[in-house]
Amino acid sequence: MKKSLAIIPVALPVLALLITVSPLGRLLLSPLECQLKRWQLPVSIKTPKPEIPPLIATKKPPFPCCEGDTSCFDEQIWGESSQQADKKILINSIDNSLRYLQTNSAKKTYERYNKDKVPGISRERVIQSLQRFRQLLLSSKSAAELNQAVAEEFVFYQSVGNDQKGKVLFTAYFEPLYIASREQTAEYRYPIYAIPPDLKEWQRPHPTRLDLEGADGLQGGEGKLKGLELFWFKSRLEPYLMQIQGSAKLRLLDGTQTSVGFAGNVAHNYQSIGKALIDDGELPSSGVTMPTILEYFEKDPKKLDVYIPRDPSFVFFQENKGAPAQGSIQVGLSPERSIATDKSLMPPGALALIRGHFPFAADNGDLKHRTVSRYVLDQDAGGAIKTAGRVDYFLGTGKIAGDRAGVTVTNGQLYYLLLKDKSL
């Protein structure tokens, strides 16, 4: 089967790449395994395309088609394939969403969502669904037992995806860990900036990245960004990657640690430097991943001053003093339990189930892909995570998470789980 070429235009919080994607339907699974294409929505949607809602309630849960396929179970809750059990992380992520759902912001958001997007998905129903799922999570002894209880008590609302059949493109993001200085030095020359106090008064169109920091990234102190420097870095690439990921952990020269997170941005859309490299013939038109982009700039660092300025977007930060990376609903993100979606279409803070072919680190450090299912919370957004067919999966902090995020691109499925009406 011919491979499909997908442009992954990812801004906050992940990187944009041009990658050759093999649809999950091509995966050669054993006879006992459930072919992922059986998780698709039926091709019987008769509504004109502009009126198709982003989520459609399925008549039956997808689990029955997975008989004999252990990848349909979220074994990670109890630990799988050398990974530690993360039930406590999942419970904490649920509690984060429940706190958000009590806010005035959540009340206003769901008043609009229930009216304009998917009737029946109300804030009260999302809260009760999370509370019940939390109870089932604590009482279940296995992934199979949890799936059975969920199938009995919950309705599955499937994203129509990018093809109206449920195909969703997954990428991933992470929180990098960098060495930084609070003061400018001969080595640490490249800064990140606090949000300008008068940003709301800036005339439109806003200055671009090139306008703000110059082609070499060293001119910010001569214009609107003067005095707003927060931290300084050795490599120009590090502040840029931080702007794309949206947060970072920092190890300072005095041995202390802190963290920074997204505080605001200029009104310019992100432009992929990976795509620019491909358009210029610097990289091949397929098979490009984050590691290949980083390798390109390691071999020719002067090209950073050519390609980074092509991205007009620019992000400002705030120091969070070690707090976890935050999502768009202002709660901490949980590794492998938080996702980012288009918040104009998807219910914020809600419980979801994702299924896809993701990379995992083996004991020898190699990355191996396998198909998994994961219960997650929708807690973030991204500048290029648009439409019902895009999801960004948060993989945690540090190098391994970054390695995994850099090669994550997979087609899969996204479901939101809501209690059946009779359970309300």
Side-chain angles (χ1 to χ4, degrees):
M1 182 183 294
K2 184 178 180 181
K3 292 185 178 181
S4 59
L5 190 64
I7 296 176
I8 316 299
V10 187
L12 292 169
V14 308
L15 292 172
L17 309 174
L18 189 70
I19 301 177
T20 299
V21 178
S22 298
L24 279 184
R26 295 185 60 216
L27 295 176
L28 298 177
L29 304 178
S30 70
L32 293 177
E33 290 182 314
C34 168
Q35 297 292 330
L36 293 184
K37 61 185 179 182
R38 293 180 61 184
W39 288 55
Q40 291 182 350
L41 286 167
V43 195
S44 58
I45 301 175
K46 303 296 184 182
T47 315
K49 187 174 181 181
E51 299 179 13
I52 294 176
L55 300 172
I56 294 179
T58 58
K59 293 182 179 180
K60 295 181 180 179
F63 299 138
C65 82
C66 295
E67 184 176 354
D69 180 8
T70 57
S71 71
C72 290
F73 303 124
D74 189 346
E75 299 283 4
Q76 177 55 27
I77 297 171
W78 287 267
E80 67 175 358
S81 300
S82 301
Q83 288 188 290
Q84 293 184 350
D86 68 347
K87 181 184 289 189
K88 290 183 178 179
I89 293 175
L90 179 53
I91 290 173
N92 181 68
S93 192
I94 293 170
D95 292 343
N96 285 342
S97 279
L98 286 170
R99 280 193 291 273
Y100 158 74
L101 289 164
Q102 299 303 323
T103 65
N104 288 330
S105 174
K107 292 177 183 178
K108 293 178 181 178
T109 297
Y110 271 93
E111 285 174 0
R112 296 191 299 269
Y113 188 87
N114 192 34
K115 177 183 177 182
D116 300 334
K117 294 298 182 291
V118 184
I121 301 184
S122 65
R123 183 179 69 94
E124 293 76 15
R125 190 179 179 193
V126 172
I127 290 173
Q128 294 183 40
S129 299
L130 287 175
Q131 291 172 336
R132 180 54 180 157
F133 181 79
R134 192 181 192 281
Q135 293 172 345
L136 294 174
L137 184 60
L138 289 171
S139 63
S140 297
K141 305 301 182 186
S142 67
E145 183 179 333
L146 178 62
N147 273 19
Q148 182 177 355
V150 167
E152 291 173 355
E153 298 190 31
F154 287 76
V155 176
F156 288 71
Y157 285 79
Q158 186 172 4
S159 168
V160 298
N162 51 38
D163 61 352
Q164 280 71 59
K165 299 179 185 179
K167 185 172 73 173
V168 172
L169 178 62
F170 288 86
T171 50
Y173 64 114
F174 75 111
E175 184 180 45
L177 174 62
Y178 293 133
I179 298 174
S181 172
R182 286 192 182 273
E183 306 293 336
Q184 182 181 14
T185 71
E187 278 190 301
Y188 291 80
R189 302 185 299 153
Y190 299 97
I192 59 171
Y193 297 91
I195 189 169
D198 62 344
L199 180 62
K200 291 183 179 180
E201 282 73 54
W202 284 15
Q203 290 186 346
R204 302 288 185 107
H206 280 170
T208 65
R209 176 183 300 277
L210 181 61
D211 297 329
L212 290 171
E213 64 175 11
D216 61 1
L218 298 172
Q219 312 306 314
E222 299 179 6
K224 287 180 173 291
L225 304 183
K226 184 177 181 179
L228 297 175
E229 297 88 350
L230 279 179
F231 296 96
W232 305 79
F233 301 82
K234 276 187 178 182
S235 166
R236 186 181 184 189
L237 189 58
E238 290 174 352
Y240 180 67
L241 294 179
M242 287 171 56
Q243 291 190 36
I244 296 172
Q245 299 298 333
S247 65
K249 287 279 195 302
L250 305 181
R251 183 178 294 120
L252 303 181
L253 298 184
D254 62 5
T256 61
Q257 293 194 23
T258 188
S259 60
V260 293
F262 176 85
N265 59 280
V266 298
H268 287 289
N269 291 330
Y270 170 79
Q271 299 294 323
S272 166
I273 62 173
K275 183 178 184 301
L277 287 166
I278 293 170
D279 290 344
D280 290 351
E282 297 292 318
L283 292 177
S285 60
S286 64
V288 175
T289 64
M290 180 49 57
T292 59
I293 292 175
L294 295 179
E295 183 181 3
Y296 173 86
F297 287 120
E298 286 174 2
K299 291 180 178 178
D300 195 353
K302 291 182 179 180
K303 289 293 182 67
L304 289 171
D305 295 345
V306 174
Y307 286 97
I308 288 180
R310 292 196 189 181
D311 177 11
S313 69
F314 198 85
V315 172
F316 306 106
F317 291 91
Q318 62 188 10
E319 184 174 2
N320 293 332
K321 300 185 183 300
Q326 278 201 338
S328 63
I329 63 172
Q330 304 305 305
V331 302
L333 299 175
S334 301
E336 302 196 53
R337 296 299 174 182
S338 295
I339 60 171
T341 64
D342 186 340
K343 288 298 173 291
S344 69
L345 300 174
M346 301 305 177
L351 173 68
L353 176 71
I354 62 173
R355 181 166 168 82
H357 199 58
F358 298 103
F360 294 86
D363 292 338
N364 61 1
D366 292 342
L367 296 179
K368 297 183 178 180
H369 288 71
R370 68 175 187 272
T371 301
V372 297
S373 301
R374 291 286 185 265
Y375 290 105
V376 295
L377 285 301
D378 192 339
Q379 298 172 328
D380 206 359
I385 306 303
K386 302 299 183 184
T387 78
R390 287 290 283 112
V391 171
D392 221 1
Y393 187 24
F394 181 66
L395 294 181
T397 302
K399 184 180 184 305
I400 293 178
D403 291 344
R404 293 177 63 201
V407 296
T408 295
V409 55
T410 177
N411 289 321
Q413 288 78 34
L414 167 68
Y415 299 86
Y416 287 85
L417 278 58
L418 283 299
L419 278 172
K420 295 178 179 179
D421 289 341
K422 66 179 182 180
S423 302
L424 295 176

